[in-house]
Each structure stands twice: as C-alpha cells, then as structure tokens.
Amino acid sequence: FLKRNHHLCISRNSLCNISTSMERVFSGIQPTGTLHLGNYFGALKKWVELQETCGSVLYSIVDLHSITLPQDPKILHRNILEVTACLLACGINPQKSILFQQSKVSQHAELAWVLGCMTTMARLGHLPQFKEKSASVKDIPLGIFVYPVLQSADILVYKATKVPVGEDQLQHLQLAQHLAKLFNSKYGKLFPHPKALINDDCTARLRSLRDPTKKMSKSEPDPKSRIDLTDSEEVILEKVKKAVTDFESAVTWDPKNRPGVSNLIAIHCGMTGKTPEEIVQDAQGLDTGKYKLVVADAINKVLQPIREETMRLLKDPPFLEQILEDGSMKASSIAEDTWESVRKLVGLSS
Ligand code: ATP
C-alpha cells in the first residue's frame, strides 16, 4: 500500500516537474572503487549544480555495469556504500535528487534486452571503451561488449533529456541517441532525445598521473595514477609529487606536447575556477617541482571537507542503505511506467 501511494506521489511530482521544465537528468557512476578527481570534475560537480536547477534528477550507482569485469563480492558491497557516502559528501541531496542503486530497479536490465535486440554487433565492436577494456582481458565477457546497451537503457528508462558525463562517455551517449531514434521510428514515439552535457573546460577529461596518455580511472590497478576524493593530505602530496611530467622545468599550458604538466594545470583550474592562462601567469618563477606543492595544497583545500564528511557517513551503513532503498523505490515507479509502454509498443503485452 505504501509503495502504491508512494508511486502515485512520485508520478504526480515527476509529471509536474516535466510539465514545467520538460527536462529530466540521468547519470550513473560505477562502484568500482573510490571516486577520484576525474569523476568529481567529469560528473559530480555538474550533478550537484543540476539538482539545483532541474526539477527531475536521477543519479544511479550502476552496480550492474561494475560486474562486467570481475569484482570481489565483499568489496563490491562496501564500494556501493562508499560511493553513496562520497556522493552525499559532495553535495548530492536525496531531497532534491533520486539517488539509487541500479540493480534494485529491474527495468534497466529488461529494457536493455529489448534495446540489445535492436543493436548490431558491428556498432558495439567499434566503441572505444570496449576496445580499451577488452585489450587487457583474455576471455572477453559478453557483459563488457553489451555495456553501452545497458547504459542506453539506464538513460531511456527514465526518458532522460540531459545526461551529464565526462568526455570519455560521448560515444556511448551517441548510441543511446541512436537507439531512442530507432525505437521511436520502429515502434512509435516514446523516448525524447537524450542530450550530453559535457564540461567545456579543461577538466572534461583528467588524465592518469602516472601515464598522461590515459584517462584517470577508478579501475586502473596503480592507485598512484589518480587522486581519490578520500585521500589524506599526505597521500595527495605524495601522489602529486610523483606525477609524471617531462624534462622541461617551466610551467606552461600545452596539453598536446606537455600532457603531464598540463594535466596538473587542468586539475588546478578545477580547484580554483581559474583559466589555464591565469594559472600559468600565477606560476611564473616556479619550476614544476615547486608548482606541484601549490597544486597539492589547492587539491587538499577542496577535498578536506569531502573526505571528512565521507568518513563520518561511512560510520552509519544502515543510513546509507536506507537512502538507496528510498531512492530505488522512487526510481522504480518512473521506470515501471516506461517499461509498460515499451511492452505495449513492442507487442509484448496488449
Ligand atoms: P572505471 O575505471 O571503473 O571504468 P571510471 O573512473 O572511468 O570507472 P565511471 O564510473 O565509468 O568512472 O564514470 C563515472 C563518471 O565519471 C562518468 O560521467 C565519466 O564520464 C566520468 N569520468 C570518469 N573518468 C573521468 C576522467 N578521467 N575525466 C573526466 N571525467 C571522468
């Protein structure tokens, strides 16, 4: 009974929000490890801004995506709670955003099946993340191949119109746009066009601190390749000091030819809100060694409150579980409506 009432309440709310703004935001994050600065700038900062300006906002901890590569079950569950704590600490407010766990809403997987039946192997095989992730795996799991189809379902099951992502996800979003269009033309108009919201500043793609040709990533085995949002002041300093730069000692902005030092400048821009030109101007007279100390200090100033709040929240797992449970119920009520429409349009029900 409670769930039914809740469902009505959410449906009305979401209808209200949609009729006033016609916009719905969806984005997801994998519980594959501690969140890092790339996630913060590529996703979380924008997520927090959007919950203030858009009436209907859903953020998902996409645990089904995370098991496309092997995960230790005990660590996975801890990671789900850790990511939840970190999102709350960064400013996600469950009163304004629906924060939920993907596997608790069965319609993601159900819609992924329907969309998978409309996707070709050739289209999926070309996607860069598949190529990158499968390169290090001997026997490639099917899940990693169909990962972008599940991602399309995540977005379309909420009829999302805005999808804030980092630059690395752009081609996956194009698949969701293609599938929305294909579904609409084949079965009848159901899905709006999901638009990518990508940072247009230099933080759209932060690079690994150890190999600046690669992106900063949670699942990269070397923890020194990234700054985690919960790293202590000492760890931040150590990682920044060891960040790979080059033989030139001046601090200059040249992402193509000097990706290491430019990555530090990009991080510094994100921390201070300054442009690369302003940062370079401020750093005149410093060599890269001394500049690294300035960057580490700027990172610590932003991360200190996030780190402390995450640690506080992690002491209360039942509270975090409840947030996810409540969010998943709200998300389910929206997803159920879409899934029912899909079933009718495809001919799976009358
Ligand atoms: P994994 O290494 O397990 O694939 P990830 O660190 O790449 O994880 P995801 O959970 O796949 O992160 O992505 C969450 C969000 O963070 C996405 O919107 C993605 O675009 C963004 N993101 C991830 N890495 C970066 C990065 N290096 N720079 C900017 N944005 C990023």
Side-chain angles (χ1 to χ4, degrees), residues 322-333:
Q322 192 59 48
I323 297 270
L324 292 179
E325 190 57 36
D326 292 348
S328 302
M329 272 172 66
K330 294 179 192 171
S332 289
S333 64

Side-chain angles (χ1 to χ4, degrees), residues 119 123-124 126-128 148-149 151-152 155-156 163 165-182 192-198:
T119 316
R123 190 173 262 274
L124 294 182
H126 283 114
L127 292 169
V149 178
Q151 211 172 356
S152 297
I155 296 165
L156 299 183
V163 187
V165 283
E167 215 175 65
D168 58 313
Q169 295 300 320
L170 194 57
Q171 275 168 296
H172 287 179
L173 197 78
Q174 284 162 352
L175 176 73
Q177 292 166 343
H178 161 77
L179 287 172
K181 213 166 152 192
L182 188 63
H193 177 79
K195 189 169 175 279
L197 297 183
I198 299 207

Side-chain angles (χ1 to χ4, degrees), residues 263-283:
N263 193 37
L264 293 178
I265 294 174
I267 292 173
H268 199 180
C269 287
M271 294 299 164
T272 57
K274 291 185 178 175
T275 62
E277 293 71 28
E278 288 168 333
I279 295 280
V280 168
Q281 179 68 30
D282 292 352

Side-chain angles (χ1 to χ4, degrees), residues 130-318:
F130 169 68
K131 284 192 192 154
E132 212 175 280
K133 293 216 167 177
S134 59
S136 55
V137 184
K138 202 166 146 251
D139 287 320
I140 300 168
L142 181 61
I144 197 78
F145 189 64
V146 296
Y147 180 113
V149 178
L150 179 58
Q151 211 172 356
S152 297
D154 297 339
I155 296 165
L156 299 183
V157 84
Y158 300 106
K159 300 185 185 169
T161 54
K162 288 182 173 175
V163 187
V165 283
E167 215 175 65
D168 58 313
Q169 295 300 320
L170 194 57
Q171 275 168 296
H172 287 179
L173 197 78
Q174 284 162 352
L175 176 73
Q177 292 166 343
H178 161 77
L179 287 172
K181 213 166 152 192
L182 188 63
F183 185 99
N184 289 347
S185 66
K186 206 167 165 174
Y187 297 113
K189 183 144 177 55
L190 181 65
F191 300 119
H193 177 79
K195 189 169 175 279
L197 297 183
I198 299 207
N199 277 349
D200 52 6
D201 63 21
C202 56
T203 60
R205 185 189 182 87
L206 291 190
R207 295 160 184 267
S208 157
L209 298 180
R210 305 300 293 161
D211 177 358
T213 60
K214 292 188 182 158
K215 73 162 197 147
M216 192 179 280
S217 152
K218 272 188 250 105
S219 47
E220 159 60 46
D222 181 0
K224 292 202 174 72
S225 66
R226 60 185 166 262
I227 306 278
D228 290 335
L229 300 187
T230 49
D231 279 346
S232 67
E233 185 171 3
E234 297 72 36
V235 171
I236 294 171
L237 183 60
E238 194 199 323
K239 287 182 178 175
V240 175
K241 272 187 178 170
K242 296 222 165 104
V244 169
T245 48
D246 51 39
F247 297 114
E248 241 182 89
S249 69
V251 178
T252 60
W253 173 248
D254 185 354
K256 205 161 166 220
N257 300 309
R258 302 194 67 200
V261 72
S262 300
N263 193 37
L264 293 178
I265 294 174
I267 292 173
H268 199 180
C269 287
M271 294 299 164
T272 57
K274 291 185 178 175
T275 62
E277 293 71 28
E278 288 168 333
I279 295 280
V280 168
Q281 179 68 30
D282 292 352
Q284 267 188 5
L286 297 181
D287 60 20
T288 44
K290 294 226 174 66
Y291 177 62
K292 283 179 174 179
L293 306 183
V294 177
V295 177
D297 188 51
I299 297 174
N300 186 53
K301 282 205 174 86
V302 174
L303 292 196
Q304 187 186 0
I306 295 177
R307 174 173 71 227
E308 287 172 2
E309 181 61 0
T310 306
M311 294 310 169
R312 192 187 69 78
L313 289 164
L314 277 173
K315 290 189 187 135
D316 193 354

